[in-house]
Amino acid sequence: MKLSQVAIQLYTLRDFIRTPDDIATTLKRVRAIGYEAVQVSGMGAIDEAELNRILDGEGLVCCATHEPATRILEEPEAIVERLQKLNCKFTAYPHPAGLDLSKKADVDRLIPALDHSGGVLAAAGLTLTYHNHGIEFFKIDGVTALDRIYAETRPEALKGELDTYWVHFGGGDVVAWCGKLSGRLPLLHLKDYRMTAESTPTFCEIGNGTLDFPRIISAAEASGCEWFIVEQDTCPGDPFDSIQQSFEYISAQLIA
């Protein structure tokens, strides 16, 4: 993994990117920390051309986006148009909105819809990925929804954006899942996991938790991962402090 492949998921900074002025200020701070790429998500309204100007001015790349789940499934052509405006190849289906993946019928509905939308993006030279949470590890007839999602979609239509925290939370093995998605894992969400004193799982800065990131990074690289995206859903204090801690750990411990 190279430092130029490390991005920050802007959802982590969602409270600081509500207006174009907020976005400009935040992206300047992100670049000052050392990040060279961002994943666009959780952002207030801004014209793509204006966002591009801000990114270019700071020397940042939009490596991927998250788009509304319903829009991905119902309006994939609009997603193609947005990604093209942002000069961005990757997006992710962020969450199964309106679906209950503990129900077979809902999983049955989701899979062909993902395959169709992913095919539309692939035809335009773009890539749809799937961002997992913990619910995808619920088993129906002994098989997890996440296994079904990848087994029953075309590899060219749907690829993976594994989330390390949520794989572990769901009872999966992150390293094993990186291997399962060999050739199909362009994006990886780096998110650490630890237990509180009250035995409650929580998010934390990379290196402050229990996940074995050297092994995870190695497995992801072997599977062809292109972008390693730092995300922290909640932070104990200032999110900018948290993303800086994560960046410093990655720079010191994980960069080849």
Side-chain angles (χ1 to χ4, degrees):
M1 178 176 67
K2 299 176 181 177
L3 206 55
S4 60
Q5 293 176 279
V6 178
I8 181 66
Q9 164 51 308
L10 291 177
Y11 179 78
T12 307
L13 304 172
R14 57 196 176 276
D15 293 336
F16 302 89
I17 51 173
R18 292 173 174 170
T19 69
D21 286 345
D22 290 343
I23 293 165
T25 299
T26 292
L27 291 180
K28 183 178 290 294
R29 294 182 70 180
V30 163
R31 186 67 187 93
I33 289 169
Y35 290 96
E36 299 179 34
V38 300
Q39 181 172 33
V40 170
S41 177
M43 184 176 285
I46 185 171
D47 183 77
E48 288 90 355
E50 184 175 1
L51 179 55
N52 284 337
R53 286 194 295 271
I54 296 170
L55 290 167
D56 291 346
E58 297 300 338
L60 289 165
V61 171
C62 174
C63 70
T65 73
H66 273 189
E67 302 296 335
T70 301
R71 197 173 193 212
I72 286 174
L73 299 186
E74 296 181 358
E75 303 176 69
E77 294 83 4
I79 304 301
V80 168
E81 182 179 355
R82 173 164 162 79
L83 292 178
Q84 289 173 337
K85 287 179 179 179
L86 290 172
N87 302 309
C88 180
K89 181 180 178 181
F90 299 106
T91 193
Y93 181 83
H95 189 272
L99 297 169
D100 181 350
L101 298 192
S102 69
K103 296 180 179 178
K104 184 177 184 296
D106 282 13
V107 179
D108 289 344
R109 285 171 50 205
L110 176 62
I111 290 172
L114 287 169
D115 191 72
H116 169 75
S117 293
V120 172
L121 267 67
L126 306 172
T127 301
L128 176 63
T129 67
Y130 188 91
H131 174 260
N132 67 278
H133 289 82
I135 184 59
E136 289 86 356
F137 290 89
F138 187 91
K139 289 185 177 181
I140 300 173
D141 298 327
V143 181
T144 71
L146 199 60
D147 280 295
R148 281 197 59 196
I149 285 167
Y150 289 116
E152 298 175 34
T153 55
R154 294 166 292 162
E156 65 270 22
L158 187 70
K159 300 190 186 298
E161 182 186 66
L162 282 184
D163 185 297
T164 59
Y165 177 98
W166 288 115
V167 170
H168 187 74
F169 179 93
D173 182 311
V174 181
V175 171
W177 265 99
C178 287
K180 279 186 179 186
L181 294 182
S182 181
R184 206 174 173 180
L185 183 64
L187 310 178
L188 183 71
H189 270 189
L190 304 183
K191 189 183 297 183
D192 214 342
Y193 175 107
R194 71 175 180 86
M195 299 297 289
T196 68
E198 295 75 32
S199 296
T200 302
T202 191
F203 309 98
C204 63
E205 297 74 22
I206 307 302
N208 286 348
T210 60
L211 297 186
D212 189 343
F213 279 103
R215 289 185 63 235
I216 291 169
I217 297 300
S218 179
E221 286 186 307
S223 291
C225 188
E226 298 180 42
W227 291 102
F228 301 83
I229 305 167
V230 175
E231 182 178 28
Q232 191 167 335
D233 294 32
T234 59
C235 302
D238 185 342
F240 289 98
D241 291 340
S242 289
I243 70 168
Q244 180 162 350
Q245 287 182 47
S246 291
F247 185 82
E248 290 173 352
Y249 175 83
I250 291 167
S251 301
Q253 302 295 329
L254 300 178
I255 298 301

